[in-house]
PDB file of all heavy atoms in Angstrom:
ATOM      1  N   ALA V 350      -3.372  11.854 -14.823  1.00  0.00           N
ATOM      2  CA  ALA V 350      -4.174  11.565 -16.021  1.00  0.00           C
ATOM      3  C   ALA V 350      -3.373  10.743 -17.020  1.00  0.00           C
ATOM      4  O   ALA V 350      -3.897   9.777 -17.601  1.00  0.00           O
ATOM      5  CB  ALA V 350      -4.668  12.865 -16.649  1.00  0.00           C
ATOM      6  N   LEU V 351      -2.124  11.081 -17.214  1.00  0.00           N
ATOM      7  CA  LEU V 351      -1.299  10.349 -18.171  1.00  0.00           C
ATOM      8  C   LEU V 351      -1.080   8.898 -17.734  1.00  0.00           C
ATOM      9  O   LEU V 351      -0.919   8.013 -18.577  1.00  0.00           O
ATOM     10  CB  LEU V 351       0.029  11.070 -18.407  1.00  0.00           C
ATOM     11  CG  LEU V 351      -0.107  12.399 -19.149  1.00  0.00           C
ATOM     12  CD1 LEU V 351       1.244  13.107 -19.244  1.00  0.00           C
ATOM     13  CD2 LEU V 351      -0.735  12.216 -20.524  1.00  0.00           C
ATOM     14  N   MET V 352      -1.100   8.629 -16.416  1.00  0.00           N
ATOM     15  CA  MET V 352      -1.010   7.243 -15.944  1.00  0.00           C
ATOM     16  C   MET V 352      -2.245   6.442 -16.356  1.00  0.00           C
ATOM     17  O   MET V 352      -2.176   5.231 -16.562  1.00  0.00           O
ATOM     18  CB  MET V 352      -0.841   7.199 -14.429  1.00  0.00           C
ATOM     19  CG  MET V 352       0.490   7.688 -13.946  1.00  0.00           C
ATOM     20  SD  MET V 352       0.557   7.540 -12.142  1.00  0.00           S
ATOM     21  CE  MET V 352       1.682   8.833 -11.732  1.00  0.00           C
ATOM     22  N   TRP V 353      -3.386   7.122 -16.461  1.00  0.00           N
ATOM     23  CA  TRP V 353      -4.636   6.471 -16.871  1.00  0.00           C
ATOM     24  C   TRP V 353      -4.768   6.398 -18.384  1.00  0.00           C
ATOM     25  O   TRP V 353      -5.643   5.708 -18.911  1.00  0.00           O
ATOM     26  CB  TRP V 353      -5.836   7.227 -16.299  1.00  0.00           C
ATOM     27  CG  TRP V 353      -6.076   6.974 -14.859  1.00  0.00           C
ATOM     28  CD1 TRP V 353      -5.742   7.786 -13.805  1.00  0.00           C
ATOM     29  CD2 TRP V 353      -6.708   5.834 -14.281  1.00  0.00           C
ATOM     30  NE1 TRP V 353      -6.135   7.218 -12.624  1.00  0.00           N
ATOM     31  CE2 TRP V 353      -6.730   6.010 -12.896  1.00  0.00           C
ATOM     32  CE3 TRP V 353      -7.271   4.668 -14.811  1.00  0.00           C
ATOM     33  CZ2 TRP V 353      -7.288   5.076 -12.017  1.00  0.00           C
ATOM     34  CZ3 TRP V 353      -7.815   3.734 -13.949  1.00  0.00           C
ATOM     35  CH2 TRP V 353      -7.815   3.950 -12.566  1.00  0.00           C
ATOM     36  N   ASP V 354      -3.942   7.126 -19.107  1.00  0.00           N
ATOM     37  CA  ASP V 354      -4.096   7.288 -20.551  1.00  0.00           C
ATOM     38  C   ASP V 354      -3.511   6.114 -21.342  1.00  0.00           C
ATOM     39  O   ASP V 354      -2.595   6.261 -22.135  1.00  0.00           O
ATOM     40  CB  ASP V 354      -3.466   8.609 -21.007  1.00  0.00           C
ATOM     41  CG  ASP V 354      -3.852   8.966 -22.435  1.00  0.00           C
ATOM     42  OD1 ASP V 354      -4.892   8.491 -22.910  1.00  0.00           O
ATOM     43  OD2 ASP V 354      -3.101   9.745 -23.060  1.00  0.00           O
ATOM     44  N   THR V 355      -4.065   4.930 -21.072  1.00  0.00           N
ATOM     45  CA  THR V 355      -3.745   3.744 -21.876  1.00  0.00           C
ATOM     46  C   THR V 355      -5.065   3.089 -22.253  1.00  0.00           C
ATOM     47  O   THR V 355      -6.075   3.269 -21.562  1.00  0.00           O
ATOM     48  CB  THR V 355      -2.891   2.724 -21.094  1.00  0.00           C
ATOM     49  OG1 THR V 355      -3.675   2.172 -20.029  1.00  0.00           O
ATOM     50  CG2 THR V 355      -1.613   3.351 -20.542  1.00  0.00           C
ATOM     51  N   LYS V 356      -5.055   2.344 -23.343  1.00  0.00           N
ATOM     52  CA  LYS V 356      -6.284   1.646 -23.755  1.00  0.00           C
ATOM     53  C   LYS V 356      -6.765   0.726 -22.643  1.00  0.00           C
ATOM     54  O   LYS V 356      -7.950   0.634 -22.365  1.00  0.00           O
ATOM     55  CB  LYS V 356      -6.045   0.859 -25.038  1.00  0.00           C
ATOM     56  CG  LYS V 356      -5.968   1.724 -26.264  1.00  0.00           C
ATOM     57  CD  LYS V 356      -5.803   0.900 -27.520  1.00  0.00           C
ATOM     58  CE  LYS V 356      -5.695   1.833 -28.717  1.00  0.00           C
ATOM     59  NZ  LYS V 356      -5.578   1.109 -29.969  1.00  0.00           N
ATOM     60  N   GLU V 357      -5.829   0.031 -21.999  1.00  0.00           N
ATOM     61  CA  GLU V 357      -6.185  -0.918 -20.935  1.00  0.00           C
ATOM     62  C   GLU V 357      -6.855  -0.208 -19.745  1.00  0.00           C
ATOM     63  O   GLU V 357      -7.894  -0.651 -19.258  1.00  0.00           O
ATOM     64  CB  GLU V 357      -4.933  -1.655 -20.461  1.00  0.00           C
ATOM     65  CG  GLU V 357      -5.210  -2.679 -19.383  1.00  0.00           C
ATOM     66  CD  GLU V 357      -3.948  -3.388 -18.926  1.00  0.00           C
ATOM     67  OE1 GLU V 357      -3.077  -3.680 -19.766  1.00  0.00           O
ATOM     68  OE2 GLU V 357      -3.834  -3.629 -17.715  1.00  0.00           O
ATOM     69  N   ASN V 358      -6.277   0.896 -19.288  1.00  0.00           N
ATOM     70  CA  ASN V 358      -6.847   1.602 -18.136  1.00  0.00           C
ATOM     71  C   ASN V 358      -8.181   2.254 -18.462  1.00  0.00           C
ATOM     72  O   ASN V 358      -9.091   2.261 -17.631  1.00  0.00           O
ATOM     73  CB  ASN V 358      -5.853   2.631 -17.588  1.00  0.00           C
ATOM     74  CG  ASN V 358      -4.711   1.973 -16.853  1.00  0.00           C
ATOM     75  OD1 ASN V 358      -4.846   0.872 -16.328  1.00  0.00           O
ATOM     76  ND2 ASN V 358      -3.567   2.624 -16.826  1.00  0.00           N
ATOM     77  N   GLN V 359      -8.321   2.797 -19.664  1.00  0.00           N
ATOM     78  CA  GLN V 359      -9.605   3.384 -20.052  1.00  0.00           C
ATOM     79  C   GLN V 359     -10.665   2.283 -20.190  1.00  0.00           C
ATOM     80  O   GLN V 359     -11.827   2.485 -19.848  1.00  0.00           O
ATOM     81  CB  GLN V 359      -9.461   4.192 -21.339  1.00  0.00           C
ATOM     82  CG  GLN V 359      -8.587   5.437 -21.184  1.00  0.00           C
ATOM     83  CD  GLN V 359      -9.126   6.421 -20.158  1.00  0.00           C
ATOM     84  OE1 GLN V 359     -10.122   7.089 -20.385  1.00  0.00           O
ATOM     85  NE2 GLN V 359      -8.459   6.523 -19.009  1.00  0.00           N
ATOM     86  N   LYS V 360     -10.247   1.097 -20.629  1.00  0.00           N
ATOM     87  CA  LYS V 360     -11.158  -0.047 -20.739  1.00  0.00           C
ATOM     88  C   LYS V 360     -11.623  -0.491 -19.345  1.00  0.00           C
ATOM     89  O   LYS V 360     -12.788  -0.838 -19.151  1.00  0.00           O
ATOM     90  CB  LYS V 360     -10.465  -1.198 -21.461  1.00  0.00           C
ATOM     91  CG  LYS V 360     -11.353  -2.390 -21.708  1.00  0.00           C
ATOM     92  CD  LYS V 360     -10.611  -3.482 -22.463  1.00  0.00           C
ATOM     93  CE  LYS V 360     -11.499  -4.697 -22.635  1.00  0.00           C
ATOM     94  NZ  LYS V 360     -10.791  -5.777 -23.334  1.00  0.00           N
ATOM     95  N   ILE V 361     -10.727  -0.465 -18.377  1.00  0.00           N
ATOM     96  CA  ILE V 361     -11.089  -0.809 -16.997  1.00  0.00           C
ATOM     97  C   ILE V 361     -12.182   0.132 -16.494  1.00  0.00           C
ATOM     98  O   ILE V 361     -13.167  -0.302 -15.898  1.00  0.00           O
ATOM     99  CB  ILE V 361      -9.845  -0.764 -16.070  1.00  0.00           C
ATOM    100  CG1 ILE V 361      -8.915  -1.932 -16.387  1.00  0.00           C
ATOM    101  CG2 ILE V 361     -10.254  -0.767 -14.594  1.00  0.00           C
ATOM    102  CD1 ILE V 361      -7.547  -1.831 -15.756  1.00  0.00           C
ATOM    103  N   ILE V 362     -12.021   1.416 -16.738  1.00  0.00           N
ATOM    104  CA  ILE V 362     -13.022   2.396 -16.296  1.00  0.00           C
ATOM    105  C   ILE V 362     -14.353   2.148 -16.992  1.00  0.00           C
ATOM    106  O   ILE V 362     -15.408   2.120 -16.345  1.00  0.00           O
ATOM    107  CB  ILE V 362     -12.517   3.837 -16.511  1.00  0.00           C
ATOM    108  CG1 ILE V 362     -11.359   4.120 -15.541  1.00  0.00           C
ATOM    109  CG2 ILE V 362     -13.653   4.843 -16.309  1.00  0.00           C
ATOM    110  CD1 ILE V 362     -10.663   5.442 -15.752  1.00  0.00           C
TER     111      ILE V 362
END
Side-chain angles (χ1 to χ4, degrees):
L351 291 175
M352 290 181 208
W353 283 101
D354 192 23
T355 67
K356 285 183 182 182
E357 181 180 322
N358 287 334
Q359 294 300 288
K360 184 178 177 181
I361 289 168
I362 291 173

